[in-house]
């Protein structure tokens, strides 16, 4: 069988016009997701800045783990912590959730790296080894037990 002849036949049957450039959706751009997260975070921060989560009666999400169990989850107090940080109340933020406060610089670094990669046209995804996953899970469980017992 002649492979050159068969490929020529396929080319002719497919059409001989000029190649058509493939248009990519702007939603597929690597910066689309980080930009959406930034916009949603900014909108949430504006609302949170004007809404004191220490006072009841606001449209802020409740923790489903706490509603079901009555216990604090590893992230409980995170909304109050961010509110206190935005208002310069560092001691109160520390009391709201120490673990999240200590982890927040690393999370901000990861978000910044994701956005920077996206703006440069590159996809970036955080990868965590199985050992790293076990460490994060162990820290979260330990923090949950400590804050509910002490």
């Amino acid at each position: 069988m002649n492979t050159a002849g068969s490929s020529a036949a396929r080319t002719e049957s497919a059409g001989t016009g000029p190649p058509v450039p493939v248009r990519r959706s702007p939603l597929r751009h690597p910066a689309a997701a980080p930009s959406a997260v930034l916009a949603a975070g900014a909108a949430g921060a504006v609302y949170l800045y004007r809404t004191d989560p220490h006072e009841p009666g606001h449209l802020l999400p409740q923790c489903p783990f706490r509603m079901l169990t009555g216990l604090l989850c590893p992230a409980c107090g995170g909304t109050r912590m961010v509110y206190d940080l935005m208002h310069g109340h560092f001691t109160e933020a520390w009391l709201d959730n120490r673990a999240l406060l200590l982890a927040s610089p690393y999370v901000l670094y990861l978000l910044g790296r994701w956005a920077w990669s996206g703006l440069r046209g590159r996809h970036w995804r955080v990868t965590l080894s199985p050992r790293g996953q076990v460490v994060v899970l162990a820290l979260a469980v330990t923090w949950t037990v400590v804050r509910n017992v002490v």
Side-chain angles (χ1 to χ4, degrees):
M1 176 186 266
N2 184 354
T3 57
S6 62
S7 66
R10 277 186 261 143
T11 304
E12 289 175 15
S13 66
T16 57
V20 178
V22 178
R23 294 198 98 177
R24 296 179 82 185
S25 168
L27 296 177
R28 291 198 175 266
H29 192 277
S35 298
V37 169
L38 178 64
V46 167
Y47 178 75
L48 183 60
Y49 187 83
R50 297 176 180 200
T51 306
D52 188 355
H54 298 285
E55 298 175 4
H58 297 292
L59 294 175
L60 294 171
Q62 300 295 316
C63 175
F65 182 81
R66 188 166 188 188
M67 287 180 1
L68 291 173
T69 65
L71 301 172
L72 297 170
C73 79
C76 277
T79 304
R80 292 186 309 272
M81 180 198 74
V82 171
Y83 175 85
D84 289 335
L85 284 176
M86 287 192 296
H87 288 85
H89 305 145
F90 300 108
T91 304
E92 289 84 355
W94 175 257
L95 296 174
D96 289 331
N97 194 319
R98 293 166 182 86
L100 281 182
L101 185 61
L102 293 173
S104 59
Y106 181 65
V107 171
L108 290 174
Y109 163 75
L110 292 176
L111 288 171
R113 184 167 176 194
W114 182 37
W116 181 251
S117 295
L119 290 172
R120 294 175 62 203
R122 297 189 174 127
H123 290 281
W124 182 76
R125 188 174 68 176
V126 178
T127 55
L128 193 59
S129 70
R131 182 177 179 190
Q133 293 173 18
V134 169
V135 168
V136 170
L137 181 62
L139 287 171
V141 169
T142 302
W143 173 237
T144 302
V145 171
V146 166
R147 71 188 311 205
N148 283 295
V149 172
V150 175

